[in-house]
Amino acid sequence: MTCTVNNDIDLSWKMVQKQFPATQNLKTSDQSALLRNFMLKLWQIEPILDNIFNAEKYMNMDEEGFENLIVPFYEGAFLEGQKMSRGEIMRIFQPFWEFYYLKMVMPIVELDLEKAELMSIIWLLFFDNCYTNISPECQEMCRNIKKVILRELKNYQMDRDFDQMRFLDTVETLEIIDKGEKKFLEEMMICEMNHVRIHDDFKAILEENRS
C-alpha cells in the first residue's frame, strides 16, 4: 500500500516554497520531515475533497457501491497466501471507513466551505508545529506562518460577511482531521496484523508518527 517518490516530494516542496518563500531557508531535514508529517494528513484530506467535489456520487451510493469502494482498496495488497474474502475485508475494515465518513468527512462537508477556506485548512495542517522531528527553528517558522494563514482566513470570511462562528468551525476541522489521522494509524496497524502489504517508505512514516 502506497509509497513516496522523490520526484513527487521535490515537486511538492517547490510548490510550498513558491507559496511561502520563508520555507526556502529550511534545512533539508526539516523540509523532508514536514512533507513526511503531511503525508498522513493528506490521506485524511483526499476523501473529504473527493466527497465535496463528487457529492452526488456519494449521496446516491448504495450498500453494494460502498462495498465496491472498500474491497478493491485492499484486494491485491495481501501478502502471498494471506488473501481475504470480500466478507472478511468488510468485517474488518468497514468500521474504519464508517468512522471516516460519519465522524470526519461529513462534519466537514456539511460546513459547505469555499475553496479558499479548504486551502487554508490544508496549509494549516501542513505547517503543524507540534511534531518533534523538526528543529526549533522550523517549529517557530510554522507558528508564524500559521498565524498569517489564520489572519487571512478570518479576513476572508469577514469580507464575505460570514457568521463569526464559521471561523471557529473552520479551525475546528483541524481537530476532526487529527482524530481521523489517529484512526488511520489504528487501521494501518490492523493492516499489518492481517498481512496487508505496506510499502517500506510508508511504513517508515507510520513508525515515525507512532513514536
Side-chain angles (χ1 to χ4, degrees):
M1 291 177 67
T2 199
C3 66
T4 57
V5 181
N6 287 335
N7 288 340
D8 291 341
I9 290 176
D10 290 341
L11 185 62
S12 298
W13 194 252
K14 285 177 183 176
M15 183 181 72
V16 173
Q17 288 181 330
K18 184 177 180 180
Q19 192 75 19
F20 299 95
T23 60
Q24 293 177 8
N25 299 322
L26 283 178
K27 300 174 186 175
T28 303
S29 58
D30 281 330
Q31 294 178 7
S32 298
L34 282 175
L35 286 170
R36 290 196 308 275
N37 296 341
F38 184 63
M39 281 291 294
L40 297 187
K41 290 175 169 53
L42 187 60
W43 273 71
Q44 317 313 310
I45 296 165
E46 285 183 337
I48 295 168
L49 297 180
D50 187 36
N51 205 286
I52 289 172
F53 298 124
N54 299 284
E56 189 174 346
K57 166 188 166 184
Y58 291 102
M59 194 180 301
N60 297 323
M61 187 175 289
D62 57 15
E63 191 172 327
E64 183 182 356
F66 190 53
E67 182 174 329
N68 289 334
L69 185 68
I70 296 174
V71 172
F73 187 81
Y74 304 94
E75 277 186 330
F78 292 101
L79 297 174
E80 189 174 348
Q82 302 293 338
K83 185 177 179 180
M84 283 185 180
S85 67
R86 291 178 69 90
E88 287 175 316
I89 290 173
M90 291 299 290
R91 178 178 60 82
I92 292 172
F93 295 108
Q94 182 176 349
F96 288 101
W97 287 64
E98 288 178 344
F99 175 91
Y100 299 138
Y101 186 74
L102 297 174
K103 302 293 186 181
M104 185 181 71
V105 173
M106 287 313 298
I108 295 176
V109 169
E110 288 169 358
L111 292 176
D112 195 24
L113 298 173
E114 297 186 355
K115 288 183 180 180
E117 294 170 302
L118 292 169
M119 202 66 231
S120 294
I121 291 169
I122 291 171
W123 285 124
L124 286 168
L125 290 168
F126 183 86
F127 290 107
D128 188 342
N129 59 298
C130 294
Y131 286 93
T132 57
N133 62 347
I134 55 177
S135 68
E137 294 80 13
C138 183
Q139 290 176 337
E140 181 64 22
M141 184 209 69
C142 287
R143 273 193 291 270
N144 291 334
I145 289 178
K146 284 173 71 174
K147 288 177 185 176
V148 173
I149 296 169
L150 288 169
R151 184 172 65 244
E152 291 185 353
L153 171 62
K154 192 160 192 175
N155 289 339
Y156 178 88
Q157 293 177 334
M158 287 176 64
D159 287 345
R160 282 152 184 78
D161 294 322
F162 289 148
D163 187 279
Q164 289 186 0
M165 281 301 297
R166 188 179 178 97
F167 178 76
L168 296 177
D169 289 339
T170 306
V171 174
E172 191 179 357
T173 61
L174 303 178
E175 294 181 21
I176 295 173
I177 292 170
D178 183 62
K179 290 176 183 175
E181 185 179 343
K182 287 182 172 64
K183 197 71 174 178
F184 181 74
L185 288 172
E186 288 179 27
E187 183 194 352
M188 291 300 100
M189 185 169 63
I190 297 299
C191 282
E192 291 179 279
M193 290 170 59
N194 286 278
H195 312 290
V196 176
R197 188 185 298 107
I198 299 175
H199 195 280
D200 288 343
D201 285 356
F202 197 64
K203 193 180 291 186
I205 292 172
L206 294 173
E207 290 301 324
E208 189 172 13
N209 278 268
R210 285 171 183 156
S211 59

